[in-house]
Amino acid sequence: MDKSIENELQIRLITKQDIYAVPDDPITVQASVDCKELNELLNQLLKASNPDFLKPKEFDFLAFGQLIRLPLTAHLQEHAGSDESTVDVEYIERTPAPEPQDTILHDDWVASVQSTDKWILTGCYDNSVNIWTHHGKPVASVKEHTEIVKGATWVDRADPSKGFISVSHDQTAIIWSWEEGTDKLCPKITLRGHERGIDSVDVSKNSHLLATGGWDTNLKIWSASLDVDDSGEPISKRSKGTNKNSSVRTPLHTLKGHKESISSINWVDSHTVCTASMDHTIKFWDCQLYGISNEIVDQKAFLSSSWSPLSNTLLATSADRFIRLYDPRSTEGTVCKSKFTSHQLWVSSVAWSKYDEHLFLSGSYDATVKMWDTRSAKAPLYNLQGHEGQILAVDWSNDKYLVSGGTDNSVHIFKNRHPK
């Protein structure tokens, strides 16, 4: 490293948050300055430039695109920034720690959680599908499946009246209707076509199609409509199926290519589906041409994944302790751009924030939920404590609430104190 940064450095404090802007003239600081000292310096500058700025704020600092977690000189050594005569240090208001809000007890392991504006949908190992308020109050519960429910998702998170889908190891998926705010859950359509248990489900961005995958290694595409069947006939005119109010639907398409179970599904856009599998591959499927358009191969079985439309990147977890960030569009170097390290056991679930391109959640068999910023790969922002068993599912669909479920038969709800 250049000796000029051994004792002192010149930095320029910059921000995209105009409310906290200070003059960006170069400032000389000790090379060993850390985040606490940078916070003290910035708050002094804010108070000097704005006498009305009374209460100190907590900020995070970035240099070379990464959150500073070490003394600045060590951060520069790690990120090869020694050639800069003046270092640009960006600052952002610190994301506050989420607050524990409520715990929802179930009768068995919780395999799936998903939020909307008002409700939480859970799928459980006791074969049940359940709806709750964000304060833990039970709203509706039903046991139509004959085996464990591994996944449940709303057809349209912005409009729960469009129903939701559950998938089970009984080889069926069910599209449900629900009269919002009541306990009336009606199984409208049973999806039949898988030959083994179903593990994963996701709905297209326009809510027209849904995709399922599981232990028969097949990806199946279905109509997600509650109102008409595959031929366009109104559902109300049909009465086939095991339930008097339910019709049976078959898949529109079956896509073959995986060699082991499909553990996770994400719709990338209205015609592209991403699947993660125990066969060590992630595949991108073109649902117009019905073939594989891209593939990522790694060394271990994939357990979960989450696609971000904000950054067009994929988070995935494998049979190890790491979370990996993939950019499938990358043409330079590896498509794996970051590896996040902190969990002590396998990471079973990961979920992007739907509102911030840098933030995501992870849940692990080590009984911890972690909140991350992609610009800090070696340390999470926060550890969210409370579970006493393995985490099986995490969700951040509603920016106000971070939700997790696991083998301690509980769902934990954490309140985001700084939603977008």
Side-chain angles (χ1 to χ4, degrees):
M1 166 161 302
D2 192 315
K3 290 185 179 180
S4 65
I5 69 169
E6 289 184 357
N7 299 311
E8 291 185 339
L9 277 172
Q10 278 206 325
I11 65 171
R12 183 184 295 108
L13 292 169
I14 58 176
T15 186
K16 297 172 184 174
Q17 297 174 307
D18 292 341
I19 188 175
Y20 299 127
V22 298
D24 60 359
D25 302 321
I27 302 169
T28 300
V29 298
Q30 292 295 310
S32 60
V33 66
D34 59 19
C35 285
K36 181 180 178 181
E37 293 164 329
L38 286 170
N39 258 298
E40 292 172 354
L41 171 62
L42 178 55
N43 274 281
Q44 290 172 6
L45 293 172
L46 283 167
K47 190 172 183 180
S49 61
N50 183 1
D52 296 328
F53 187 84
L54 301 176
K55 188 177 181 180
K57 293 279 187 179
E58 290 289 320
F59 295 92
D60 270 320
F61 299 86
L62 302 98
F64 303 100
Q66 297 294 309
L67 286 171
I68 297 172
R69 292 291 182 254
L70 302 168
L72 185 54
T73 183
H75 182 89
L76 298 185
Q77 286 178 327
E78 184 171 332
H79 297 286
S82 59
D83 293 335
E84 301 289 334
S85 58
T86 300
V87 179
D88 283 343
V89 175
E90 182 183 355
Y91 56 96
I92 55 176
E93 188 176 5
R94 180 167 294 169
T95 301
E99 293 179 339
Q101 176 164 294
D102 284 289
T103 300
I104 304 173
L105 296 180
H106 290 63
D107 292 331
D108 210 331
W109 293 5
V110 180
S112 175
V113 292
Q114 193 181 81
S115 294
T116 66
D117 244 5
K118 300 178 182 177
W119 318 109
I120 295 175
L121 178 66
T122 63
C124 196
Y125 269 61
D126 66 359
N127 309 347
S128 70
V129 185
N130 315 275
I131 298 175
W132 314 79
T133 71
H134 284 104
H135 293 282
K137 180 182 177 181
V139 176
S141 181
V142 67
K143 291 184 180 180
E144 181 78 9
H145 287 289
T146 59
E147 296 287 346
I148 63 176
V149 175
K150 283 301 297 291
T153 183
W154 301 96
V155 173
D156 184 347
R157 282 186 290 267
D159 185 4
S161 69
K162 292 184 179 179
F164 60 89
I165 303 108
S166 57
V167 298
S168 168
H169 277 190
D170 65 10
Q171 302 180 23
T172 70
I174 298 176
I175 304 180
W176 301 81
S177 67
W178 175 48
E179 188 177 335
E180 189 171 1
T182 74
D183 62 356
K184 297 177 182 178
L185 295 175
C186 181
K188 301 296 285 187
I189 304 164
T190 300
L191 308 183
R192 296 189 182 277
H194 281 285
E195 297 176 359
R196 298 183 68 185
I198 309 173
D199 265 2
S200 51
V201 60
D202 195 29
V203 182
S204 64
K205 307 305 178 185
N206 59 15
S207 301
H208 293 168
L209 299 173
L210 66 93
T212 57
W215 287 90
D216 64 4
T217 76
N218 294 326
L219 172 67
K220 293 184 181 287
I221 310 297
W222 319 72
S223 167
S225 172
L226 269 176
D227 303 320
V228 297
D229 66 13
D230 299 343
S231 65
E233 184 181 352
I235 291 295
S236 59
K237 293 184 180 180
R238 298 173 60 95
S239 59
K240 294 180 181 180
T242 58
N243 185 288
K244 64 181 180 180
N245 296 317
S246 174
S247 66
V248 173
R249 178 171 292 172
T250 55
L252 298 173
H253 302 282
T254 296
L255 304 180
K256 298 178 179 290
H258 281 298
K259 297 179 180 179
E260 299 289 344
S261 175
I262 295 173
S263 54
S264 182
I265 295 176
N266 294 271
W267 281 88
V268 174
D269 53 40
S270 59
H271 60 269
T272 307
V273 173
C274 172
T275 54
S277 171
M278 303 291 281
D279 67 7
H280 304 189
T281 70
I282 292 169
K283 299 183 190 298
F284 291 82
W285 305 81
D286 186 320
C287 293
Q288 293 176 321
L289 301 176
Y290 306 110
I292 298 169
S293 59
N294 198 0
E295 184 177 58
I296 297 170
V297 180
D298 218 312
Q299 302 301 313
K300 297 180 184 294
F302 286 104
L303 305 182
S304 71
S305 63
S306 181
W307 175 263
S308 173
L310 300 179
S311 62
N312 289 317
T313 54
L314 183 79
L315 290 168
T317 70
S318 303
D320 56 24
R321 300 180 295 109
F322 307 114
I323 305 157
R324 292 172 176 85
L325 174 67
Y326 296 95
D327 182 354
R329 305 161 304 168
S330 178
T331 57
E332 296 182 4
T334 175
V335 295
C336 181
K337 298 304 180 183
S338 299
K339 185 167 74 171
F340 301 89
T341 308
S342 179
H343 282 293
Q344 300 305 306
L345 296 173
W346 290 6
V347 184
S348 55
S349 184
V350 66
W352 282 106
S353 163
K354 299 270 190 301
Y355 305 87
D356 189 308
E357 65 176 319
H358 298 295
L359 300 181
F360 68 91
L361 283 182
S362 63
S364 167
Y365 291 166
D366 65 13
T368 64
V369 176
K370 296 178 186 287
M371 179 180 178
W372 297 84
D373 187 305
T374 56
R375 296 164 294 188
S376 178
K378 295 183 179 179
L381 294 180
Y382 300 106
N383 294 318
L384 310 184
Q385 305 291 344
H387 280 284
E388 297 178 355
Q390 297 175 348
I391 311 300
L392 300 181
V394 295
D395 180 71
W396 202 349
S397 297
N398 181 335
D399 194 37
K400 296 179 182 177
Y401 301 102
L402 295 72
V403 187
S404 57
T407 64
D408 58 2
N409 301 359
S410 73
V411 167
H412 285 247
I413 305 168
F414 298 87
K415 189 171 184 179
N416 184 7
R417 294 195 292 136
H418 192 214
K420 293 293 180 182

